[in-house]
Amino acid sequence: MLLLFLLPLVFSYKVTFKSFIQKKKYENPFNEDILQVLDAMHRSGLHIHKLLSYSNVENLQGFYSENSLNIHQEKQKKLDLLSDKIIRSNVCGIESLGSIFSEEDDNIVKMKKDHKLIFCYDPLDGSSNIDTHMPTGTIFSCYNDGHYFQENKQVINSQGSLVLSGYLLYSSSLHFVFYYEKSVYHFMYDDLYKDFILIHDNIKIPKKGNQYSINEGKINSFHKNHKLYLEKCKKENYSSRYYGCLVADFHNVIMNGGIFMYPKDIVKNKSKIRLLYEAKPLAKIIEEMGGICVDEEIHIHKKKIKDIHETTPIYFGSNENMVDFIEFCRKN
Ligand code: F6P
């Protein structure tokens, strides 16, 4: 009798990442190059995840060197640079890639002048979590120039050029979430299958949630409106969650609903989140899922890049929470 109940579990049909890629290639052979990028990211994710879990044993923790800084003057960790290398070596063989932008590299890697895809990535997001094995992630995006051969920034700023964006979350389990052809897919690694398994092929964010996520320790440098909004969340009995890794905080918000905020530091007149490598790819995903992602004036997906390494304030979350937040800031 018990076996009868268990049979559907044992034989339930699972879509693996490999079969997903094959199916998509068959459906649209013209997108083969974009699917190659996706495949390269899936391999990179598995490799980075392994290194993160062995980091103590293999002496991969800590900073690369005292004077190795990225463009944001942050000290680079060994695993920041290793992850960067892994991703670069996995994508650089893709024939259609024209340029590669990495958060860890001040320069653009120009591959081929007349090739159409632009690939951008943050190799290891949430670096301060690396050495304590707290959640970290990888964020990536891909822009397509069609056959216009425009200059890189022009391509990135043109409507509809973002054709792929996603992230890998390295946590107690390994997640691969991406936007492709108007859907957001959620895969999770299954050790039994030795592959990612499709969990959802069109995820939507809950319309409303009762969690807020922000580094509240920095409250003294927030704008008055944001301080007041936090008071409101508390009065309404919201719970607070903050992982210190944008990918992890993003994943939590899209699963549970609610709001995430990383405001501008008004004392230093500085923002932290990178527009090209972090904000734009995640904005595309959350907007496609029915949520909202803005800076203080405009939807992040409409914000034009002026500098490839520029930073931005960011607020994202469930539709109702965001409408309420925007309205609140407007009135106060
Ligand atoms: O932008 C890098 C990053 O590590 C994000 O992943 C994260 O959201 C943020 O910085 C954390 O910054 P802080 O430690 O200032 O809260």
Side-chain angles (χ1 to χ4, degrees), residues 125-127 215 218 242 244-246 260 262 272-274 278:
D125 168 61
S127 299
N215 184 346
K218 301 198 168 169
Y242 189 72
C245 160
L246 189 62
F260 173 91
Y262 207 113
K272 183 162 191 197
I273 302 302
R274 283 66 157 169
E278 300 177 311

Side-chain angles (χ1 to χ4, degrees), residues 34-125:
I34 299 166
L35 294 170
Q36 280 174 359
V37 173
L38 203 52
D39 191 48
M41 290 316 294
H42 127 272
R43 278 182 279 121
S44 306
L46 288 173
H47 196 163
I48 295 169
H49 186 235
K50 268 272 171 300
L51 294 183
L52 284 165
S53 58
Y54 291 154
S55 64
N56 290 74
V57 187
E58 298 291 341
N59 188 24
L60 294 175
Q61 296 206 316
F63 295 110
Y64 180 70
S65 76
E66 269 311 301
N67 13 342
S68 141
L69 304 174
N70 66 14
I71 194 146
H72 304 278
Q73 298 307 303
E74 296 163 341
K75 271 200 201 171
Q76 292 170 303
K77 295 206 161 161
K78 289 181 194 166
L79 274 163
D80 282 323
L81 296 175
L82 268 175
S83 309
D84 188 43
K85 283 219 172 81
I86 290 170
I87 295 173
R88 189 164 305 193
S89 66
N90 279 329
V91 296
C92 71
I94 298 169
E95 186 56 22
S96 316
L97 276 198
S99 319
I100 303 178
F101 295 80
S102 163
E103 196 211 51
E104 297 300 340
D105 194 338
D106 304 359
N107 305 307
I108 308 166
V109 179
K110 291 254 184 213
M111 308 278 288
K112 293 150 204 125
K113 228 179 169 182
D114 55 349
H115 282 51
K116 55 180 185 172
L117 290 185
I118 298 173
F119 178 67
C120 312
Y121 65 109
D122 175 0
L124 201 51
D125 168 61

Side-chain angles (χ1 to χ4, degrees), residues 162-179:
L162 183 59
V163 284
L164 175 71
S165 74
Y167 65 85
L168 285 132
L169 168 63
Y170 314 110
S171 189
S172 60
S173 47
L174 176 56
H175 296 259
F176 190 24
V177 177
F178 55 86
Y179 158 82

Side-chain angles (χ1 to χ4, degrees), residues 184-332:
V184 177
Y185 297 89
H186 179 191
F187 283 82
M188 211 173 144
Y189 189 70
D190 185 333
D191 213 24
L192 283 178
Y193 282 74
K194 300 274 177 254
D195 198 352
F196 284 90
I197 302 294
L198 184 63
I199 305 293
H200 211 302
D201 62 1
N202 190 13
I203 338 170
K204 297 288 167 205
I205 182 169
K207 287 201 166 56
K208 187 177 186 311
N210 66 348
Q211 291 188 1
Y212 73 94
S213 183
I214 189 165
N215 184 346
E216 223 168 335
K218 301 198 168 169
I219 195 158
N220 291 336
S221 58
F222 296 165
H223 187 278
K224 173 187 114 255
N225 285 352
H226 302 138
K227 291 182 185 168
L228 291 172
Y229 185 74
L230 293 181
E231 286 308 311
K232 178 177 174 329
C233 290
K234 285 173 192 160
K235 273 194 202 123
E236 291 175 14
N237 281 327
Y238 276 36
S239 286
S240 160
R241 295 279 183 282
Y242 189 72
Y243 301 100
C245 160
L246 189 62
V247 169
D249 285 309
F250 183 85
H251 194 75
N252 177 54
V253 168
I254 63 169
M255 291 292 136
N256 293 314
I259 179 167
F260 173 91
M261 297 160 268
Y262 207 113
K264 185 184 198 166
D265 180 324
I266 57 163
V267 181
K268 296 185 186 148
N269 191 24
K270 221 173 143 190
S271 308
K272 183 162 191 197
I273 302 302
R274 283 66 157 169
L275 179 59
L276 178 61
Y277 307 105
E278 300 177 311
K280 273 186 169 283
L282 298 181
K284 182 70 191 173
I285 296 174
I286 204 165
E287 297 257 344
E288 204 58 41
M289 294 173 73
I292 295 177
C293 180
V294 292
D295 73 353
E296 268 133 30
E297 282 145 21
I298 186 174
H299 280 255
I300 294 277
H301 72 91
K302 290 189 186 150
K303 192 166 175 171
K304 305 265 187 229
I305 301 270
K306 293 188 207 88
D307 180 298
I308 57 160
H309 288 294
E310 80 188 83
T311 54
T312 179
I314 190 169
Y315 309 87
F316 59 74
S318 299
N319 190 288
E320 285 185 29
N321 297 78
M322 289 304 296
V323 169
D324 178 54
F325 169 72
I326 294 166
E327 206 42 35
F328 183 90
C329 293
R330 203 171 282 147
K331 280 190 200 145
N332 281 283

